[in-house]
Amino acid sequence: MIFTLSAILGMCLLISLFSYYIFRHYLQNTLIQSTETSLRLLSESMDNSIDEVYRLVRYCQTDSNIANYIEHNPNPGSVLSVSTYDSFYEECSRNSSYNYMPRIAIVSQEHYLQVVAATYSSTADLATLIPELPYYEELLTADDYDFSPGIVSDPFHRAGRKVLPVIRPITYQYNNRQAGYLFIEISADLFTIPLKDYSCPSDSFLYLSIAGHTYIYENGGLQEFTPEYSILDDLSTYSLTGTTQISKIHSATMGEQILVTTPLNMPDCYLSQSISHAERTNQAVLFMGILACILIGILSIGVVLMLLMNRMITVPVSRLQTRMVRIAGGDFSRDPSVEWDHELGDIGRGINDLSENVSELMEKRLEDEKQKQDLEYKMLQSQINPHFLYNTLNSIKWMATIQGATGISEMTTSLSRLLKSISKGTSLLIDIREELSLLENYFTIQSYRYGGTITMDIQVDNESLYNSEIIKFTLQPLVENAIFHGIEPKGCAGHIRIHVGYETSDNTEKIRIDVTDDGVGMTADKAAQVLRSNDDSSADFFREIGVSNVHKRLQYQFGAEYGITIESKEGEYTTMSIHIPNIPLHNNETVSSETISSENT
């Protein structure tokens, strides 16, 4: 539950950080685009006024009356001067930017016509003084409008009000040679009046760039200053239009800012505004507040869910654990308190049923153990007869020895050993050494039975093979089969050879034991039948084991890849090969009747 709550908290933090990053990105984008839109509206207002100035300039350069006046250079007060002034004044007064042009003068070679506001009136001789201005030649000879002087003090006004000078040539009527020029002073009000009505946050700044001169709008006026900043990044991709430039800058005085710059309809003139930090911060704080409320709500729901889970899951699971501890301690009684009406209750009922079943099984096991002890006692009593038989055979052996009947003594000894191995219930797995010993005891009896006409030799390739495990009474049925079905039908003496060695199959070292007789042999079909059938005519103990039975026991014990294979040729020989894994006997657990009895006890 703590992990779940921590996961919910972590998920909320990740969502919060991601949401804040997305919000901040879109907030910045929105502020940039809204600022760009506002600047474009502001610049359009200024461009409209500038266009009117351009229109007046075009009128003065193309009007025939003004061209006639420039060409004849009449004296002031003459009819041509008065008529030209009247038409010139009428055109100026109709211009919508007339209020932003405090002084408009048409200057010929020696005289001039001037339309000036009353506060800008002056007795100065403009025809003489204007050519003395430091920027006269530069503005007059420029191919286009040149605003490189920037906003300067009016040279013909006592207070020196700020104006932007414009000087454009006027040519003769019938050729392009300069005859005079037009001098216009554009008041700074053309820029400051629209800026006064422009809504701008307190920490956002407006800049006006005119031909390399930069002005900041402060206290209702334009103050020239030298900007010192470095551009950190170009954000123009966020612009709505291709003409607006957006940059992230850093200055020593104002820190990091985003600057939105849009061009004016004036050569090399721009209007710029910095994005308000306060507005970004206020929006971010508002968003963080909303996000915090959402997170608190999510965490509250998580806490409620945790408490519900604690009541519905943790407490029942804890009680189930307690119940399991009691069962482990031996209390198998049924506990109805863990059988709730939900899924955990089903588990509780299952635990109760299991505990009752365990109790019943334990009682049944105790009863079975009691019956087993009774059976073992009866089996102990039944061993009196085998012991009596061993003692009787032992007495016969000693009597035969005293009387010099060595064959009877050896047969009695071998039979005694075989009966003892059968009756004492020794281990299922024995080593090859002991298996060969049992085989020799059996063959001793058979050799006397056939009067020594059957011989057997045993060959073991390596001493380590004696310690490998094999199932008890594996070789005896194969030797018996060789005697009764191989050599006896031949009607003459025979020989059996036992060979124990290694073989390698599938990169695994195995043991192969070959039992070869020189009897009548058998067909391939008969060999296959011997491995499938267990139908032998003899009824004694050893014949009941059968070759097929040995084959199955080997496969059950070691796996399907092991067992017996038969190779035979009619009238010549039969070889039964036993394939078993090479496993030392001391590395395996042996299963015996004594061991089982001891474990049960």
Side-chain angles (χ1 to χ4, degrees):
M1 292 173 61
I2 294 175
F3 173 78
T4 302
L5 190 60
S6 301
I8 293 175
L9 180 60
M11 182 179 64
C12 291
L13 291 177
L14 289 176
I15 294 175
S16 302
L17 292 175
F18 182 74
S19 301
Y20 179 74
Y21 172 78
I22 296 297
F23 170 78
R24 185 175 180 181
H25 173 76
Y26 279 102
L27 175 61
Q28 175 178 288
N29 191 22
T30 301
L31 289 176
I32 288 175
Q33 292 181 356
S34 64
T35 302
E36 179 185 2
T37 302
S38 300
L39 278 182
R40 286 181 60 81
L41 293 175
L42 182 61
S43 64
E44 287 177 0
S45 175
M46 295 180 181
D47 287 342
N48 291 334
S49 300
I50 293 296
D51 289 342
E52 288 297 306
V53 175
Y54 292 161
R55 187 176 66 82
L56 181 62
V57 172
R58 288 192 299 272
Y59 167 79
C60 294
Q61 289 179 326
T62 58
D63 184 68
S64 58
N65 293 329
I66 295 177
N68 189 33
Y69 171 80
I70 291 295
E71 184 176 353
H72 292 89
N73 190 25
N75 292 322
S78 64
V79 174
L80 181 59
S81 296
V82 172
S83 61
T84 302
Y85 177 81
D86 289 341
S87 61
F88 176 53
Y89 176 78
E90 183 179 359
E91 181 63 26
C92 290
S93 62
R94 288 203 305 264
N95 193 286
S96 59
S97 296
Y98 173 67
N99 295 329
Y100 297 131
M101 293 181 287
R103 189 183 310 278
I104 308 170
I106 296 175
V107 183
S108 62
Q109 295 176 357
E110 298 176 358
H111 306 291
Y112 63 93
L113 297 177
Q114 178 181 215
V115 177
V116 61
T119 56
Y120 275 73
S121 60
S122 172
T123 58
D125 184 5
L126 298 183
T128 303
L129 296 178
I130 289 178
E132 296 177 357
L133 296 175
Y135 43 81
Y136 169 77
E137 286 293 337
E138 181 181 0
L139 300 187
L140 182 64
T141 58
D143 294 335
D144 197 358
Y145 292 94
D146 188 352
F147 301 99
S148 57
I151 298 177
V152 298
S153 297
D154 187 355
F156 310 112
H157 187 261
R158 293 184 304 273
R161 297 186 62 176
K162 301 297 183 180
V163 294
L164 181 65
V166 175
I167 301 176
R168 299 306 299 158
I170 300 176
T171 61
Y172 286 106
Q173 189 171 4
Y174 300 106
N175 58 60
N176 291 328
R177 190 163 55 88
Q178 178 187 344
Y181 57 89
L182 174 66
F183 178 78
I184 300 178
E185 291 179 343
I186 301 175
S187 174
D189 292 343
L190 183 143
F191 306 103
T192 57
I193 290 178
L195 291 176
K196 288 179 182 179
D197 299 330
Y198 183 74
S199 177
C200 185
S202 58
D203 63 336
S204 180
F205 300 94
L206 287 168
Y207 304 94
L208 177 64
S209 297
I210 301 177
H213 301 271
T214 302
Y215 305 89
I216 185 171
Y217 180 72
E218 291 180 340
N219 302 322
L222 295 174
Q223 305 296 328
E224 185 172 5
F225 81 110
T226 301
E228 296 180 358
Y229 61 85
S230 58
I231 298 178
L232 302 179
D233 194 10
D234 184 9
L235 305 178
S236 298
T237 54
Y238 298 107
S239 172
L240 294 174
T241 62
T243 57
T244 303
Q245 182 179 0
I246 303 169
S247 304
K248 180 182 287 188
I249 64 173
H250 180 271
S251 64
T253 57
M254 299 180 182
E256 187 175 305
Q257 290 180 312
I258 295 178
L259 194 65
V260 181
T261 303
T262 186
L264 294 174
N265 192 17
M266 299 167 60
D268 200 19
C269 296
Y270 304 94
L271 188 64
S272 304
Q273 180 183 351
S274 62
I275 300 294
S276 171
H277 281 288
E279 189 172 357
R280 295 171 62 186
T281 303
N282 292 337
Q283 293 287 345
V285 169
L286 177 61
F287 176 77
M288 292 301 294
I290 297 174
L291 194 60
C293 294
I294 295 174
L295 293 180
I296 292 173
I298 294 175
L299 289 178
S300 300
I301 295 173
V303 171
V304 172
L305 290 176
M306 186 181 70
L307 295 176
L308 290 176
M309 290 173 63
N310 180 68
R311 180 178 178 182
M312 298 176 63
I313 297 178
T314 306
V315 173
V317 168
S318 178
R319 294 184 64 178
L320 289 175
Q321 289 178 327
T322 303
R323 172 64 178 145
M324 294 172 67
V325 171
R326 288 170 54 195
I327 292 175
D331 183 6
F332 297 101
S333 60
R334 195 173 190 88
D335 185 3
S337 64
V338 297
E339 299 181 1
W340 303 281
D341 294 330
H342 48 71
E343 291 82 356
L344 294 178
D346 295 338
I347 297 176
R349 279 186 287 273
I351 292 175
N352 283 333
D353 294 341
L354 181 62
S355 64
E356 289 182 346
N357 292 336
V358 170
S359 180
E360 293 176 359
L361 289 174
M362 291 180 64
E363 292 177 358
K364 188 175 183 302
R365 179 67 181 272
L366 291 175
E367 182 66 25
D368 292 343
E369 288 294 330
K370 183 178 179 181
Q371 292 179 2
K372 186 176 182 180
Q373 290 177 2
D374 293 340
L375 290 174
E376 288 178 349
Y377 178 72
K378 292 178 181 180
M379 290 176 63
L380 182 62
Q381 289 179 331
S382 67
Q383 289 181 357
I384 294 174
N385 292 332
H387 282 292
F388 176 74
L389 180 59
Y390 303 152
N391 294 333
T392 302
L393 290 173
N394 193 41
S395 299
I396 295 172
K397 181 191 75 171
W398 286 111
M399 289 177 66
T401 301
I402 293 171
Q403 295 176 6
T406 56
I408 296 175
S409 175
E410 290 183 5
M411 288 182 64
T412 304
T413 301
S414 298
L415 179 59
S416 175
R417 290 174 180 171
L418 284 174
L419 290 175
K420 187 174 182 180
S421 297
I422 296 170
S423 62
K424 72 179 183 179
T426 54
S427 302
L428 174 65
L429 296 174
I430 60 176
D431 57 31
I432 292 179
R433 186 190 304 278
E434 185 175 353
E435 177 68 8
L436 292 175
S437 178
L438 293 175
L439 179 62
E440 289 176 348
N441 289 327
Y442 170 76
F443 187 77
T444 298
I445 298 173
Q446 295 297 333
S447 64
Y448 279 103
R449 174 181 175 182
Y450 287 94
T453 59
I454 301 175
T455 58
M456 181 181 73
D457 69 81
I458 300 174
Q459 179 185 352
V460 180
D461 291 346
N462 195 304
E463 285 291 328
S464 61
L465 290 168
Y466 283 113
N467 297 323
S468 298
E469 68 177 19
I470 191 172
I471 299 177
K472 188 176 182 180
F473 290 114
T474 297
L475 293 175
Q476 182 275 327
L478 274 62
V479 173
E480 180 183 26
N481 188 81
I483 295 172
F484 288 107
H485 298 288
I487 298 175
E488 184 176 330
K490 188 172 66 169
C492 60
H495 179 71
I496 298 175
R497 185 171 64 89
I498 310 296
H499 177 259
V500 183
Y502 292 109
E503 70 171 349
T504 302
S505 176
D506 298 331
N507 295 326
T508 302
E509 188 177 64
K510 302 177 182 178
I511 295 177
R512 175 172 176 169
I513 304 175
D514 294 331
V515 179
T516 305
D517 66 81
D518 55 357
V520 296
M522 66 181 79
T523 63
D525 294 337
K526 180 62 177 177
Q529 184 180 359
V530 168
L531 295 179
R532 291 195 305 267
S533 174
N534 195 27
D535 184 14
D536 295 312
S537 58
S538 177
D540 60 41
F541 169 79
F542 300 110
R543 296 293 293 275
E544 287 178 356
I545 294 177
V547 177
S548 65
N549 194 353
V550 174
H551 177 62
K552 293 177 182 178
R553 289 167 63 202
L554 291 173
Q555 288 188 327
Y556 292 157
Q557 179 68 27
F558 301 118
E561 67 271 22
Y562 300 100
I564 298 174
T565 60
I566 299 176
E567 179 183 352
S568 181
K569 186 174 183 181
E570 287 188 280
E572 294 186 14
Y573 70 93
T574 298
T575 299
M576 293 190 180
S577 299
I578 300 172
H579 306 274
I580 58 175
N582 182 17
I583 303 174
L585 181 63
H586 59 80
N587 288 343
N588 295 276
E589 296 180 0
T590 59
V591 181
S592 64
S593 60
E594 290 88 354
T595 303
I596 296 175
S597 176
S598 175
E599 290 176 353
N600 291 337
T601 304

